[in-house]
């Protein structure tokens, strides 16, 4: 079976709903089953994402690697393969958001990194419910940021 095609704005909304569920499960499992090596990899991916974003780079590949590292820390091959196959649409949406927004504002960068910090902290504390909620909130905020980027100049919020 081939992946469902994304053909409309409504499909983007549905995709982010799906992604929030998958990544919430992945983060919860990572919180429960990670080992020291996994945690070091998550922290390294987090740091790389922060460096890229703070330097004004898009940070897309670093961000994707961060999410894949969390999936791998779940030690669940189904989360890993689902997140790995989700990379192409995620990259596409991140590039769309980047192209629609003239430049990532420092506030947006800080908000994203704050969300990542909450995810890493919950995984580190082995708090599955908190990790799931933190990544769910992050993914849904990413969706919101994409749609905020599509507002026309002068359009009411």
């Amino acid at each position: 079976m081939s992946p469902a095609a994304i053909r409309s704005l409504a499909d983007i909304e549905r995709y982010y709903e799906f992604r929030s569920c998958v990544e919430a499960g992945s983060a919860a499992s990572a919180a429960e089953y990670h080992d020291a090596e996994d945690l070091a990899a998550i922290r390294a991916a987090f740091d790389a994402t922060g460096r890229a974003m703070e330097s004004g780079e898009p940070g897309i590949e670093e961000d994707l690697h961060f999410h894949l590292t969390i999936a791998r820390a779940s030690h669940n091959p189904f989360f890993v393969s689902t997140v790995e196959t989700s990379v192409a649409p995620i990259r596409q949406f991140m590039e769309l958001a980047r192209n629609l927004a003239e430049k990532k504002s420092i506030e947006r960068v800080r908000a994203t990194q704050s969300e990542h910090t909450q995810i890493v902290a919950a995984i580190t504390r082995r708090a599955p419910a908190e990790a799931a909620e933190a990544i769910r909130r992050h993914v849904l905020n990413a969706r919101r940021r994409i749609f905020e980027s599509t507002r026309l100049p002068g359009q009411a919020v």
Side-chain angles (χ1 to χ4, degrees):
M1 182 193 318
S2 62
I6 296 172
R7 296 189 174 105
S8 68
L9 292 175
D11 285 345
I12 293 172
E13 291 269 353
R14 286 187 283 268
Y15 179 80
Y16 271 89
E17 222 173 85
F18 163 77
R19 182 179 164 204
S20 73
C21 292
V22 169
E23 291 204 45
S26 173
S29 289
E32 192 167 350
Y33 299 113
H34 74 268
D35 58 29
E37 188 176 300
D38 296 323
L39 200 52
I42 290 169
R43 287 183 175 143
F46 168 78
D47 290 342
T49 301
R51 280 191 306 275
M53 291 170 56
E54 290 287 334
S55 70
E57 296 173 29
I60 293 172
E61 294 307 315
E62 292 84 356
D63 196 315
L64 293 172
H65 181 69
F66 174 72
H67 289 267
L68 281 169
T69 303
I70 291 169
R72 290 180 183 129
S74 75
H75 294 269
N76 182 322
F78 299 102
F79 284 132
V80 175
S81 66
T82 300
V83 173
E84 284 176 343
T85 58
S86 298
V87 166
I90 294 169
R91 182 181 291 114
Q92 179 183 5
F93 298 143
M94 292 172 91
E95 288 171 354
L96 172 67
R98 189 186 91 221
N99 291 334
L100 290 171
E102 289 180 25
K103 186 179 178 190
K104 275 190 180 178
S105 71
I106 193 67
E107 294 83 22
R108 184 173 173 169
V109 167
R110 287 185 180 142
T112 300
Q113 276 303 87
S114 173
E115 292 165 9
H116 286 168
T117 299
Q118 292 169 22
I119 296 163
V120 173
I123 291 170
T124 301
R125 284 194 311 276
R126 295 196 180 274
E130 288 177 41
E133 179 55 26
I135 207 161
R136 186 192 69 75
R137 193 171 38 254
H138 170 62
V139 169
L140 296 178
N141 283 339
R143 177 185 68 185
R144 179 187 47 76
R145 287 187 284 265
I146 283 177
F147 284 98
E148 283 178 353
S149 298
T150 62
R151 295 198 198 296
L152 299 173
Q155 186 179 15
V157 176

